[in-house]
Structures are given as C-alpha cells and as structure tokens.
Amino acid sequence: MKRMSIQKRISVTMRGFGILKQYCPGLAQGMACYELINSVQPFLSVWFSAQIINEIATHRRIKTVIIYVTGVVLANFICAVIKSMIHRICSEKESQMWSWFGKIFSDKQISLDFVDLESVKIQQQRQEAEENLYMFGNGLAQLVWGTSSLVRAFVNILASIAMTITLFVSKSGNKVIDNPAWILILLVCIALGGLSNSKATIKEHNIFMKWCKDTVWFNRAFMFFGNELYMNPEKAKDVRIYEQNVIAEKMLDKLIQHDRKNQADIFKMSVYPAIAYVIIGLANAVCYLFIATKAFFGAFGVGSIVQYAAVLSRLGEGLQELMFILSDNEVYCNYLQKLYEYLDLPNHMYQGSLTVEKRDDNEYYVEFRDVSFKYPNTATYALRHVNLKFKVGEKLAVVGMNGSGKTTFIKLMCRLYDPDEGEILLNGVNIQKYDYDEYMSIFSVVFQDFRLFSFSLGQNVSASTVYDGDKVRECLKKAGFGARLQAMPNDIETCLYKDFDTDGVELSGGEAQKTALARALYKDAPFMILDEPTAALDPLSEYEVYSKFNEIADSKTAIYISHRLASCRFCDEIAVFHTGEVIQKGTHQELLADKKGKYYELWNAQSQYYNK
C-alpha cells in the first residue's frame, strides 16, 4: 500500500470529516461526545471507589463515605442519562449512514458527463470505491468509527497519567522501589504491550484485506446472480428455464477451494493476536508487581492499589489503541484517497452561460451543421457530415435501419454528447454556449429504454413530489392512459410496482410507454422527442396515438424516431439515415416517389404489414 506523509494524511482526514459533515451532519460529533463521557465514566468510578476504600481502611468517617458514595452514584447517573440521549441520536444517524453514503455516489453520478457514465474505466473506479466502502467498511466508515477510538484513546492516556502521578510521587522508604527509573521501566512495558497489540491487529487487518481483494470478483459475481438474476422477476424467467443457477454453484465451489488454499492466512490471523496478548499479559504483570511491592512498603493504602491497577491497565489500552489508530489512519486514508479520485473526476463538457431565450412565438430553430461524431474508444463514425435544420412546430420523422445513427442524432441534440466535428445551433448560437440546465429544459424526451420508478403515478408523470393533479390526469388521457387510470385503486396516487408498497400496481409494457409519453407531455417543453413511441403498443393503441398525433404534439416540434414507416405519414418532413448519414429528406409522398431511394426500399419491405 502506498505510503502517505503525515501532512497528506491530515489533509485527507479533514476532507473526510467535511464530507461527513455534509452528508451525515452531527454523526461524528455525536459519537465523539458519547465516547468522551463513556471513557471518563470508569475513571470517575475508579477514583471514587479508591477514596471509599481508603476512608474505610483508615479514618472510617461515615459522612465522608456517604459523600463519596453519593458522588459516585450521582456521577454515574448523570453520565448514564447523557449517554442514553446521545446514543439514541447517534444510533439513528448511524443506521442512516449507509444510505447517506449512497447519496454521495448518486450525487456524483448525476453530476458526471453522460459520456463518463458509459466509460467502463470510470464505472470500474466507482465500483471499486463502493466496494471498499460497503463490503469492507473502508474509508468514511472507518473515519466514523475511528473518531470514537481516538477520543477513547486520548481520554485513557490523559486521565491515566493524571491519576498515576501520585504512584511515583509517594515514597515507600525503599530506595530500589522509589527509584525514578521505574517510571521508564513501566512505560516501556506498557509501550511494548501496545506496540505488539497494534502490530498484531495491523497484520491481521492486512491478511483480511488481502483475502477480501482475492475474493472481490466472487463477491461481485454473487451480487450479480443474487440481485440481478434471482431477484429480478424479468431475468428470473430465463434463469429458471435455462438453469443458469448452475453457474453460481460452480463459482461457489471455486470460492470454497480458494478458502482451503488460504488456511495458512487464517492461522496467522489467530496466532498474531495470541502472541500480542502474551506480551500484554507480561507487561501488566510487571505493572501489578510494582504497585503491590510499593503498597507493601507502605507508600499508599489499599484503595490506591485498586486505583493504580485499574488506571495503568487503561493507560496500556489507550497506548495500544492510539498506535493502532495511527497505523489504521494510513490504511483508510489510502481508501479515502481512492474515493476522492472518483469524486474529483472533472466535467469535460463545456458548460455555457448564455440564457436560452424565452420566445412567446416559440420560434426556435435547430440546425445541425456538418456534424460528425464517433463514440469514445471507437474508430467508426456513428454520424458523418449531418446537415439538418428545422423549427418549432414542425413534425420531423427520423427513420432508418438499426445502427444508422438515429438515436445518436437525438443524443447529440440533447447534448448528452458533443460532436467531434461541426456544430449544433439553436437560433444561430452554438448550443455549447447555453447554460446546460436551461438548454435541457426545452426538451421533453421519451427514450426507447425509458424508466419508470417505484413512486406514485403522479410523481412518475410529473417527475416531482409536488405536481398539478389535474394536469397529470389530462396528460395521461392524451397519452391514451385514460381507461387504465379509471381502474387505478388510488387514482394518480397509486404507487407503481411493489418495491415500497405491497399494493403497488405492475404496468404492462404498453401502459408504461403511455405513462412515459404522459411525462413528456407534462413537462410541456418546446421540443418533444419520441424514440420508438409505439414500440410496445398493440395495433389499436398505436392507431390511437397516431390519430391524436397533432393534438398530442400541439404547437411543439415533434421528432419521431421510428422503424415503422407508417408513422412518417403524420410528419411534415422525414429524414432518412443510413450508415450515419442523412441520405434523403422530404415529405412521405416526395420520398415515396423516388423509387431508387432508401425510403422507397424500406417502405416496400414493410408495406405488406400495412392496411390501406
């Protein structure tokens, strides 16, 4: 593992606390307060107990004993009440901690350029960061738990030193026992115990992490089979029909074989702590022998024996824990650094600043001017020298065979990608110069692989938790969902799917597509883009959508991507894509008149399925 300087570790740690403050406010501070009280409480009990025993063994003043007893009871009661309150708050925050950690990744995913979402390298980087956090608790989780350990270590060390000063100051009359060298001897014994325990814990941790890294592929595979195949109803059908669980069983056999090969590591994980405990036991024995000998020569009373024995033990624990924390900090700082590398990924797309002009007449012009584009890490152009111009209010159909560049054309217009050559203009201005969020606001898009979510129907249509119910219903009716809406048990408040509601409604493919279409209508943006809008609809529903075409599109620009050329008859203009180029453009009748053109070829190939 890469070594890191103290200065760098402090910087990394402080940034980690900043992230915790943003996403888990109060958690680290609350755990620190709880541990402060929890660590101080035993020292209070030890001190009061020593005073009570000394008083009983010497003066036996009943009032003094009552004061000490009252003090220890009251101190423990106050500590217990405060601890209970803080523990309740911290437990709730800690239970939510993993969800908030998930938001860190989701926020970053949303902020990334779309091109980076499709980058295998970047997604592997995210997956590694998530695995370190969720599967092994490395990084931020260690920082949370390390806060408690650090407070506990410092309290044990400082309080122990304060309560053992009198051990060395008090005189027994024996020159050998009163020799100041014993201070060094005891500190060396305690330090040896702490160092051995720290080293053992680190070795144990390193072996465990090596084992985890060796098995990370198996963990990924089992998560895939468990979550994606066996628990996903859509994929579970294929699993049962083709018995793909056999693959998982074979992987389990490989994992068992891997564990057998690593029995030596498991043995080491047991041996190192055992050796450390022996050293700690010997160190404690020296400390106890010194205390007993000094008490034997009359340096202090029996109550002080209890105090010093307990406190020196705590001092050893504090030093052991502090040594481990310093070593563990370097470990989790390396994991935090990997997390930061992912969170610091830059946005490569130029973020414009111009405001998109709000026109009352909806006179928006979009132009592709000699646009060429190829996907990252590919040599073949998906689009080549595309030139198109259209304005709001026109109905444009984009047709062509699979792989002809239709969907890529839409992704570029929505600025999910930037062209490699040429430019895309909105009202004569390069779209890269517009504020990205404002530019996106003028598009309503229904992609072929759209997604609905396990929220209410109204929230899915409005894409918001606050929405206009009447507008949602109107959009659903326009999209052909009216009859199904009447059958919904809770109208637009009906939850979709059963992830969060056992009474959630499962939609068919066609119903889901109509809902997605209603979502595009609800946004009421000047541009409506529909990628295969009727692919999952039955013939009657498809006819219903087409027959209401003008009503649905209203005065908006409607861009249709379709394999079904029958939809093109409703459009003002048709652009025919082939191998990434626009090879034809015109109305349905104009293109059909060109018997040597690609459109005529495609139309005749499908005409047998059309009714006149």
Side-chain angles (χ1 to χ4, degrees), residues 445-447 450 452 511-521:
V445 186
V446 181
F447 288 107
F450 68 88
L452 298 182
E511 291 169 345
Q513 201 156 31
K514 291 177 181 179
T515 305
L517 181 59
R519 181 160 60 194
L521 293 172

Side-chain angles (χ1 to χ4, degrees), residues 297-491:
F297 283 100
F300 41 75
V302 65
S304 297
I305 296 176
V306 174
Q307 174 177 319
Y308 297 141
V311 167
L312 279 179
S313 175
R314 290 275 179 174
L315 178 59
E317 292 174 5
L319 288 173
Q320 293 164 23
E321 194 157 26
L322 182 61
M323 291 177 186
F324 173 73
I325 289 169
L326 293 176
S327 300
D328 191 47
N329 174 259
E330 185 171 13
V331 174
Y332 67 70
C333 276
N334 276 282
Y335 288 112
L336 283 173
Q337 189 69 9
K338 290 182 180 179
L339 173 63
Y340 300 160
E341 288 172 3
Y342 170 70
L343 296 180
D344 291 339
L345 287 172
N347 292 82
H348 301 289
M349 293 181 69
Y350 177 78
Q351 302 294 313
S353 58
L354 291 181
T355 301
V356 176
E357 184 182 6
K358 302 296 189 296
R359 299 181 63 105
D360 296 332
D361 57 4
N362 269 351
E363 285 292 314
Y364 292 97
Y365 290 87
V366 175
E367 180 182 359
F368 277 62
R369 185 179 292 175
D370 198 30
V371 169
S372 297
F373 173 78
K374 56 184 176 183
Y375 286 96
N377 303 316
T378 59
T380 305
Y381 278 92
L383 290 180
R384 192 69 172 163
H385 302 300
V386 172
N387 289 280
L388 268 178
K389 186 175 182 180
F390 48 91
K391 69 175 183 177
V392 167
E394 293 182 342
K395 312 297 184 290
L396 173 69
V398 177
V399 302
M401 297 187 297
N402 288 336
S404 61
K406 304 185 301 296
T407 299
T408 303
F409 168 75
I410 298 303
K411 288 180 177 179
L412 287 173
M413 187 165 65
C414 293
R415 222 193 152 202
L416 297 177
Y417 295 98
D418 283 334
D420 296 317
E421 301 171 19
E423 58 181 350
I424 305 171
L425 309 173
L426 173 64
N427 290 345
V429 178
N430 191 312
I431 62 173
Q432 296 181 17
K433 296 182 179 180
Y434 287 109
D435 177 85
Y436 183 79
D437 292 331
E438 282 206 28
Y439 178 76
M440 292 293 289
S441 69
I442 68 174
F443 293 99
S444 292
V445 186
V446 181
F447 288 107
Q448 189 172 1
D449 55 350
F450 68 88
R451 290 291 182 268
L452 298 182
F453 307 100
S454 296
F455 307 141
S456 72
L457 178 61
Q459 290 172 341
N460 269 280
V461 172
S462 64
S464 173
T465 55
V466 180
Y467 54 86
D468 183 338
D470 292 335
K471 185 177 178 181
V472 167
R473 295 182 186 90
E474 182 64 26
C475 291
L476 286 168
K477 290 175 182 177
K478 281 187 177 182
F481 197 83
R484 183 70 177 90
L485 177 61
Q486 293 179 354
M488 286 287 185
N490 296 312
D491 193 49

Side-chain angles (χ1 to χ4, degrees), residues 478-522:
K478 281 187 177 182
F481 197 83
R484 183 70 177 90
L485 177 61
Q486 293 179 354
M488 286 287 185
N490 296 312
D491 193 49
I492 58 175
E493 295 299 320
T494 302
C495 188
L496 301 188
Y497 312 118
K498 300 182 183 296
D499 299 83
F500 304 114
D501 189 344
T502 54
D503 296 325
V505 173
E506 299 285 341
L507 298 182
S508 67
E511 291 169 345
Q513 201 156 31
K514 291 177 181 179
T515 305
L517 181 59
R519 181 160 60 194
L521 293 172
Y522 186 92

Side-chain angles (χ1 to χ4, degrees), residues 8 11-12 15-16 19 22 104-105 107-109 111-113 116 122 125-126 129 335-348:
K8 181 66 174 177
S11 174
V12 170
R15 180 177 177 183
I19 294 175
Q22 179 182 355
I104 295 174
F105 289 98
D107 285 350
K108 182 58 185 177
Q109 288 287 101
S111 69
L112 280 174
D113 293 330
D116 289 332
I122 289 176
Q125 190 176 354
R126 176 190 60 79
Y335 288 112
L336 283 173
Q337 189 69 9
K338 290 182 180 179
L339 173 63
Y340 300 160
E341 288 172 3
Y342 170 70
L343 296 180
D344 291 339
L345 287 172
N347 292 82
H348 301 289

Side-chain angles (χ1 to χ4, degrees), residues 197-237:
N197 185 59
S198 174
K199 291 291 185 183
T201 307
I202 292 169
K203 284 182 177 293
E204 182 183 6
H205 179 269
N206 290 340
I207 293 171
F208 175 72
M209 291 310 302
K210 174 181 174 296
W211 185 85
C212 289
K213 287 183 177 179
D214 290 342
T215 58
V216 68
W217 187 87
F218 292 103
N219 291 326
R220 290 178 184 175
F222 282 120
M223 287 178 67
F224 169 76
F225 276 92
N227 297 332
E228 291 296 317
L229 292 188
Y230 301 140
M231 297 178 66
N232 188 315
E234 295 180 0
K235 297 176 182 178
K237 297 192 293 290

